[in-house]
């Protein structure tokens, strides 16, 4: 949800969220059973031929569930207490540490591939030899550098790290029954539950430490408190009920049957509280900044409350943004489960339904923010415009700003004399909306004089061939029908190659380009992962969060990339130095495969099973 994170991060400059599931970074640990170093250890990918004793062992989830006993309620309560107890990491810390570990895991995988490539067989070897070597590699995987065991909450006093580290799991024998992929799936579902507990802990701290602080209540007018904290009490109440249902599911059996049916129900029936909270973001940001600037008592009290050890050095703004972050996090956690369930299974259908409902909630959240911020922005722009031509109504409920900025207009001298006596370029200012281009000149008083306009659908752009330094980064903009109902041509110069490409892409997005389309993901598209968070500065830019994976669709020589984020297909420009390229073609291929699976189209099996899943959820209650 880049829009949500971008606006608040820009206003408060505090917290950075990550955008992929923390469970991805724990795959190697999830597939590696505790106390087992050899790949042939039972329960860690061993085949029945290697271990005959396993040949008759139950390997399906159903059979495993019949053998394993439920977790006692006391044991589960102790587990949750470890997560939310005194001194544990807050949700913000937990998320960021896990994401950094995920980035490091990808780096190590890429490094291993590069090492393998350096010693790869030559092209002179026969296909038969290649196949033999590949079989040997599968039978005896190369020794890998051991990855650190990633602690769920990274606390030295915790008695568990992962689902497989729970004492009940260790003593049950289930790790000798389930295959590595099922163990990874268990870890992904376990994380959704435990991360919700950590999130609830942070929400509870926001309410008890800030919202219900008596001194703060006296400083804030009720209307200010309402705008600042919105319906956070409703959000916390939903999180509490959601967590209790997840806990009950965990108590049914130490091997988790599913959690996505619960996610689906809550996303469809209860998560509208997130839409209300997030839609208030524009007013929340403005109120928070005004209070800090105008109320010294508020500023001093907040600084004092933030110093409390319970806040672990985190500012109030990082707590206010929690619901923004969690609703997108839930979607990514469900994506992570979806990647691990068996294809065309009941659990895949349930995960797809849960993911679809969460996407609707996230979309509604984004639309709520956009609606309020865009209206204010359009009013502000309209006030700054003075029309030299026939006035164009700027404010419209269906119009929003795509890009604005200054360019140089080439005067086009016809003789050497005019070249000497006239400026070759002069400044103009463009406001590009989703359906309209307005061309202005900036005038004193922070005003803009409009001298031309055209519908966006009637714009055409053309890049000039390299004609020396004077015409570097120059492109042609044609208005097929301008404000005077005539065709007009402008020769425009941008400040850099990236700025020129960005303007051309925004002005005429359907022009023929070398950009890679969505369907071309079947090919090996270059990819990067985000290693430094980036907040978009322009509407055509993309806010990046740690561990985001993006396809490279285009890039410029001066360090900008036009990319598409895999988990939500959002496109935009970002600086290349915020990312690292993923060199491993196998990892790139796997990323694309997972992306296709998560965003697969509706199929008949999902429609047929949907009512049955709903009935099953009601019966379970």
């Amino acid at each position: 949800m880049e829009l949500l994170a971008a606006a608040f991060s820009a206003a408060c400059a505090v917290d950075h969220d990550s955008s992929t599931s923390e469970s991805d970074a724990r795959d190697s640990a999830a597939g590696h059973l505790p106390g087992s170093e050899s790949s042939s250890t039972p329960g860690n990918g061993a085949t029945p031929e290697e271990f005959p004793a396993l040949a008759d062992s139950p390997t399906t989830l159903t059979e495993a569930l019949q053998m394993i006993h439920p977790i006692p309620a006391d044991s589960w309560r102790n587990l949750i207490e470890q997560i939310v107890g005194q001194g544990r990491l807050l949700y913000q810390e937990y998320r960021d540490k896990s994401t950094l570990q995920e980035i490091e895991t990808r780096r190590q995988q890429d490094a291993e591939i590069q090492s393998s490539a350096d010693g790869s067989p030559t092209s002179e070897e026969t296909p038969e030899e290649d196949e033999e070597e590949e079989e040997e590699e599968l039978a005896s995987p190369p020794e890998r550098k051991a990855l650190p065991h990633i602690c769920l909450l990274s606390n030295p006093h915790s008695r568990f790290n992962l689902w497989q580290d729970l004492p009940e799991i260790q003593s049950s024998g289930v790790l000798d029954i389930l295959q590595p992929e099922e163990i990874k799936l268990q870890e992904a579902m376990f994380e959704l539950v435990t991360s919700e507990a950590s999130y609830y802990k942070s929400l509870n701290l926001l309410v008890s430490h800030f919202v219900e602080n008596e001194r703060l209540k006296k400083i804030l007018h009720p209307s200010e408190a309402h705008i600042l904290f919105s319906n956070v009490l409703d959000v916390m109440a939903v999180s509490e009920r959601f967590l209790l249902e997840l806990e009950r599911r965990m108590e049914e059996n130490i091997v988790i049957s599913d959690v996505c049916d619960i996610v689906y129900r809550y996303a469809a029936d209860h998560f509208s509280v997130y839409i209300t909270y997030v839609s208030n973001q524009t007013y929340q940001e403005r109120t928070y900044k005004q209070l800090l600037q105008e109320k010294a008592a508020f500023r001093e009290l907040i600084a004092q409350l933030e110093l409390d050890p319970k806040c672990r050095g985190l500012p109030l703004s990082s707590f206010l943004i929690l619901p923004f972050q969690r609703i997108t996090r839930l979607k990514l956690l469900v994506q992570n489960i979806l990647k691990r369930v068996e294809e065309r299974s009941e659990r895949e259908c349930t995960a797809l339904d849960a993911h679809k409902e969460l996407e609707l909630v996230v979309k509604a959240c984004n639309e709520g923010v956009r609606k309020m911020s865009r209206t204010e922005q359009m009013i502000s722009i309209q006030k700054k415009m003075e029309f030299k031509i026939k006035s164009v109504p700027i404010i419209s409920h269906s119009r929003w700003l795509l890009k604005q900025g200054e360019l140089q207009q080439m005067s086009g001298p016809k003789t050497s004399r005019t070249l000497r006596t006239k400026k070759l370029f002069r400044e103009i200012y463009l406001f590009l909306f989703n359906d309209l281009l307005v061309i202005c000149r900036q005038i004193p008083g922070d005003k803009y004089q409009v001298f031309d306009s055209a519908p966006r659908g009637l714009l055409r752009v053309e890049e000039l061939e390299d004609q020396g330094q004077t015409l570097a980064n120059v492109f042609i903009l044609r208005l097929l029908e301008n404000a005077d109902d005539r065709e007009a041509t402008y020769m425009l110069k941008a400040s850099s190659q990236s700025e020129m490409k960005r303007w051309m892409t925004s002005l005429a997005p359907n022009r023929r380009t070398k950009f890679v389309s969505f369907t071309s993901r079947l090919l090996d598209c270059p990819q990067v992962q985000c290693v430094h968070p980036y907040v978009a500065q322009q509407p055509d830019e993309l806010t990046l969060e740690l561990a985001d994976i993006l396809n490279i669709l285009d890039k410029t020589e001066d360090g900008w990339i036009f990319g598409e984020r895999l988990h939500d297909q959002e496109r935009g420009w970002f600086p290349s130095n915020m990312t690292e390229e993923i060199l491993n073609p196998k990892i790139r291929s796997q990323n694309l495969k997972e992306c296709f699976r998560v965003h697969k189209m509706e199929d008949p099996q999902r429609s047929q099973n949907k009512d049955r899943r709903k009935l099953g959820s009601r019966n379970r209650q």
Side-chain angles (χ1 to χ4, degrees):
M1 193 194 290
E2 74 167 75
L3 180 63
L4 308 182
F8 204 89
S9 297
C12 306
V14 284
D15 191 40
H16 296 292
D17 189 18
S18 58
S19 66
T20 51
S21 171
E22 296 93 332
S23 294
D24 284 341
R26 300 186 345 226
D27 278 359
S28 57
H32 180 79
L33 301 182
S36 302
E37 296 300 330
S38 171
S39 62
S40 60
T41 301
N44 192 29
T47 64
E49 290 76 11
E50 293 172 323
F51 287 87
L54 289 181
D56 297 327
S57 298
T59 56
T60 67
L61 177 70
T62 303
E63 293 170 320
L65 285 171
Q66 292 172 352
M67 293 182 60
I68 307 305
H69 298 290
I71 294 181
D74 288 343
S75 297
W76 178 250
R77 279 193 290 270
N78 291 337
L79 168 64
I80 293 299
E81 178 57 32
Q82 287 200 15
I83 297 172
V84 301
Q86 189 72 20
R88 308 301 175 190
L89 291 184
L90 293 173
Y91 180 71
Q92 300 96 308
E93 302 169 291
Y94 152 77
R95 180 199 60 236
D96 291 343
K97 286 179 179 291
S98 298
T99 309
L100 290 172
Q101 179 60 53
E102 180 183 354
I103 292 172
E104 190 57 36
T105 298
R106 289 204 194 108
R107 284 174 174 167
Q108 291 187 25
Q109 290 172 335
D110 249 11
E112 289 164 7
I113 288 295
Q114 290 304 106
S115 299
S116 301
D118 293 341
S120 59
T122 63
S123 58
E124 297 175 356
E125 291 177 300
T126 64
E128 291 78 5
E129 291 172 335
D130 290 342
E131 290 176 6
E132 289 176 4
E133 288 190 9
E134 184 176 350
E135 289 176 2
E136 290 176 4
E137 183 180 350
L138 292 174
S140 303
E143 184 176 349
R144 296 195 173 199
K145 185 177 180 181
L147 295 176
H149 216 47
I150 306 164
C151 178
L152 245 182
L153 300 176
S154 192
N155 190 289
H157 303 296
S158 292
R159 65 185 180 94
F160 68 94
N161 294 330
L162 303 166
W163 172 83
Q164 60 187 281
D165 294 327
L166 292 171
E168 291 81 3
I169 300 297
Q170 292 277 319
S171 61
S172 68
V174 71
L175 295 176
D176 295 326
I177 296 172
L178 297 176
Q179 294 297 314
E181 285 307 310
E182 179 64 38
I183 294 174
K184 291 178 182 180
L185 175 57
Q186 290 294 313
E187 297 291 3
M189 293 190 290
F190 181 69
E191 183 183 6
L192 188 145
V193 180
T194 53
S195 65
E196 186 67 26
S198 177
Y199 165 66
Y200 177 75
K201 174 192 175 181
S202 291
L203 271 185
N204 191 51
L205 181 57
L206 168 62
V207 171
S208 62
H209 192 60
F210 293 98
V211 179
E212 296 179 347
N213 183 277
E214 293 300 326
R215 292 174 58 194
L216 191 57
K217 286 181 179 179
K218 293 177 181 178
I219 293 173
L220 293 177
H221 188 275
S223 62
E224 293 173 331
H226 176 71
I227 295 174
L228 187 61
F229 299 118
S230 191
N231 64 326
V232 69
L233 295 177
D234 296 334
V235 173
M236 188 174 74
V238 167
S239 175
E240 183 177 14
R241 296 197 302 271
F242 181 47
L243 179 59
L244 286 173
E245 287 213 37
L246 293 171
E247 289 177 4
R248 282 197 288 269
R249 180 62 56 80
M250 287 284 293
E251 290 170 6
E252 290 177 5
N253 205 306
I254 58 177
V255 178
I256 311 168
S257 58
D258 198 1
V259 294
C260 288
D261 58 323
I262 300 175
V263 176
Y264 168 74
R265 187 155 34 84
Y266 268 77
D269 300 335
H270 304 292
F271 284 170
S272 58
V273 294
Y274 282 96
I275 301 172
T276 303
Y277 188 94
V278 170
S279 297
N280 183 54
Q281 179 191 2
T282 301
Y283 302 118
Q284 184 187 57
E285 292 173 9
R286 183 193 304 141
T287 300
Y288 183 56
K289 289 181 68 176
Q290 286 177 348
L291 287 170
L292 287 175
Q293 293 171 359
E294 299 171 6
K295 281 196 175 184
F298 174 82
R299 184 171 61 250
E300 292 167 5
L301 178 57
I302 292 299
Q304 182 181 338
L305 292 174
E306 290 173 345
L307 290 175
D308 191 295
K310 289 185 291 189
C311 293
R312 302 182 66 87
L314 294 169
L316 170 59
S317 53
S318 75
F319 290 91
L320 292 176
I321 203 173
L322 280 171
F324 307 165
Q325 297 170 334
R326 182 58 182 172
I327 194 62
T328 50
R329 172 65 51 199
L330 273 174
K331 189 183 81 165
L332 296 173
L333 289 169
V334 169
Q335 282 187 10
N336 198 47
I337 292 171
L338 183 53
K339 295 171 187 176
R340 287 156 176 76
V341 294
E342 54 276 23
E343 291 197 48
R344 305 197 68 80
S345 66
E346 184 81 8
R347 289 194 295 185
E348 184 190 49
C349 293
T350 307
L352 284 168
D353 286 338
H355 184 262
K356 182 178 179 181
E357 286 296 329
L358 286 169
E359 279 195 317
L360 292 175
V361 174
V362 171
K363 182 178 179 181
C365 288
N366 271 317
E367 287 303 315
V369 174
R370 288 191 182 107
K371 184 177 180 180
M372 292 189 179
S373 60
R374 285 173 175 172
T375 300
E376 292 197 346
Q377 186 180 46
M378 298 300 287
I379 293 173
S380 174
I381 292 174
Q382 170 106 3
K383 289 179 179 178
K384 295 179 180 180
M385 287 187 176
E386 295 181 0
F387 285 84
K388 189 177 179 180
I389 57 172
K390 182 180 178 181
S391 178
V392 178
I394 298 297
I395 300 175
S396 168
H397 71 278
S398 60
R399 178 174 295 151
W400 61 88
L401 184 69
L402 292 181
K403 190 172 178 62
Q404 70 180 75
E406 187 177 86
L407 290 169
Q408 303 285 320
Q409 181 189 1
M410 188 172 183
S411 301
K414 294 183 171 56
T415 67
S416 58
R417 181 179 177 183
T418 58
L419 178 61
R420 290 193 301 269
T421 59
K422 280 192 172 184
K423 285 180 64 176
L424 184 59
F425 294 99
R426 60 177 177 172
E427 294 78 13
I428 63 171
Y429 202 93
L430 270 55
F431 287 94
L432 178 65
F433 304 99
N434 60 309
D435 61 345
L436 176 71
L437 172 67
V438 177
I439 306 177
C440 320
R441 289 191 179 89
Q442 199 161 4
I443 57 179
D446 194 25
K447 297 281 187 178
Y448 298 91
Q449 187 181 67
V450 180
F451 65 88
D452 209 350
S453 65
R456 188 179 178 219
L458 298 180
L459 304 178
R460 300 294 183 268
V461 293
E462 177 185 340
E463 186 174 355
L464 290 182
E465 296 295 331
D466 187 10
Q467 298 184 24
Q469 186 62 34
T470 303
L471 296 180
N473 308 320
V474 172
F475 66 97
I476 303 296
L477 170 63
R478 301 189 197 281
L479 282 56
L480 300 185
E481 187 176 300
N482 72 350
D484 296 327
D485 298 325
R486 296 184 292 104
E487 182 173 336
T489 299
Y490 294 90
M491 185 176 290
L492 303 176
K493 182 180 177 67
S495 59
S496 64
Q497 182 198 39
S498 59
E499 188 66 13
M500 178 190 70
K501 283 200 169 189
R502 287 169 59 175
W503 270 111
M504 293 178 71
T505 304
S506 298
L507 288 163
N510 296 324
R511 72 189 182 94
R512 289 187 177 182
T513 70
K514 61 180 180 180
F515 291 172
V516 180
S517 67
F518 180 88
T519 54
S520 67
R521 287 194 190 138
L522 294 172
L523 305 176
D524 184 17
C525 184
Q527 291 176 3
V528 293
Q529 72 165 331
C530 172
V531 295
H532 301 290
Y534 178 72
V535 177
Q537 305 299 310
Q538 289 283 339
D540 65 334
E541 293 179 9
L542 194 61
T543 289
L544 300 183
E545 298 168 350
L546 284 173
D548 273 353
I549 302 175
L550 306 103
N551 276 343
I552 300 176
L553 305 184
D554 196 15
K555 61 195 308 185
T556 65
E557 295 176 358
D558 56 351
W560 283 81
I561 292 175
F562 185 72
E564 180 179 67
R565 187 165 45 221
L566 293 192
H567 80 75
D568 60 4
Q569 284 88 58
E570 289 289 329
R571 291 185 175 190
W573 292 91
F574 51 88
S576 59
N577 60 3
M578 298 291 108
T579 64
E580 288 180 354
E581 188 167 359
I582 298 175
L583 302 174
N584 182 344
K586 293 182 179 178
I587 296 177
R588 293 197 298 265
S589 176
Q590 181 65 24
N591 290 338
L592 293 179
K593 180 182 177 183
E594 291 174 350
C595 175
F596 274 125
R597 188 177 181 191
V598 166
H599 297 284
K600 66 162 57 175
M601 300 300 290
E602 185 84 23
D603 59 48
Q605 182 180 350
R606 290 182 63 199
S607 300
Q608 293 169 5
N609 292 335
K610 197 166 186 178
D611 292 337
R612 192 165 68 248
R613 287 194 299 280
K614 289 182 178 178
L615 180 61
S617 296
R618 287 196 294 269
N619 291 338
R620 202 189 306 272
Q621 295 176 13

